[in-house]
Amino acid sequence: MAFPRPEGHHSITPGASVHNADQVLEFIQNVLGGKLVERYDGPDGSVAHAEVMIGDSIFMFGTVEPGATPYPAMLSYYVDEADQVDEVYNKALAAGATSKMEPANQFYGWRTATVTDTGGNAWTICCVVEQLSEEEINERMANMSGEA
């Protein structure tokens, strides 16, 4: 007999093993509005495992074991309004994140920006600003490359 998945755990639930997991937890709570669901500390007080609800999804992470390879994540964080992309981006930078891509409207109809937190996780902040067909996206891509 199988039990149902916990709330927020989807068919694929992202996770990471990072340095500075305490700072990553603080970043997720203060910048992305994440809510702590579970936290288990290791003997040294570091985050051994944490689960944070961000919107309707869980993100799991913990401190990388000494001598082990960290496995940071690449994640997309969706907001409802285009100006929120800029707001979250600026809030992330103020919280110590590094800019990888400033906020900009993309050819595929989204406004995005990307930051990296102190644990090495890349967060792309996204908002759909235009609903485009696959044909329209391909046409814009061809125009960018000079093929049209």
Side-chain angles (χ1 to χ4, degrees):
M1 175 173 131
F3 294 97
R5 288 189 298 260
E7 181 182 352
H9 289 250
H10 302 287
S11 294
I12 296 174
T13 298
S17 175
V18 298
H19 296 292
N20 306 314
D22 288 326
Q23 293 175 12
V24 171
L25 176 59
E26 188 175 308
F27 175 86
I28 291 170
Q29 291 175 309
N30 295 335
V31 175
L32 307 177
K35 307 289 184 227
L36 183 64
V37 175
E38 292 182 359
R39 177 183 173 152
Y40 302 102
D41 291 338
D44 64 356
S46 66
V47 176
H49 176 81
E51 295 188 13
V52 183
M53 181 72 78
I54 306 169
D56 64 353
S57 299
I58 290 288
F59 177 51
M60 302 184 292
F61 63 97
T63 302
V64 64
E65 296 287 328
T69 302
Y71 292 101
M74 294 174 54
L75 304 150
S76 295
Y77 175 65
Y78 289 87
V79 294
D80 296 325
E81 301 291 332
D83 60 346
Q84 289 177 298
V85 171
D86 300 62
E87 290 169 14
V88 173
Y89 172 83
N90 289 323
K91 194 173 183 180
L93 296 181
T98 303
S99 176
K100 294 298 176 192
M101 185 183 76
E102 293 182 3
N105 289 347
Q106 306 300 327
F107 71 92
Y108 47 86
W110 294 16
R111 183 164 184 79
T112 66
T114 303
V115 298
T116 302
D117 67 27
T118 59
N121 299 301
W123 297 89
T124 298
I125 308 147
C126 310
C127 182
V128 178
V129 294
E130 293 181 272
Q131 295 224 330
L132 301 171
S133 68
E134 188 175 332
E135 181 179 279
E136 290 170 311
I137 293 170
N138 285 329
E139 182 178 315
R140 286 183 178 184
M141 190 181 305
N143 287 337
M144 288 173 46
S145 66
E147 293 177 18

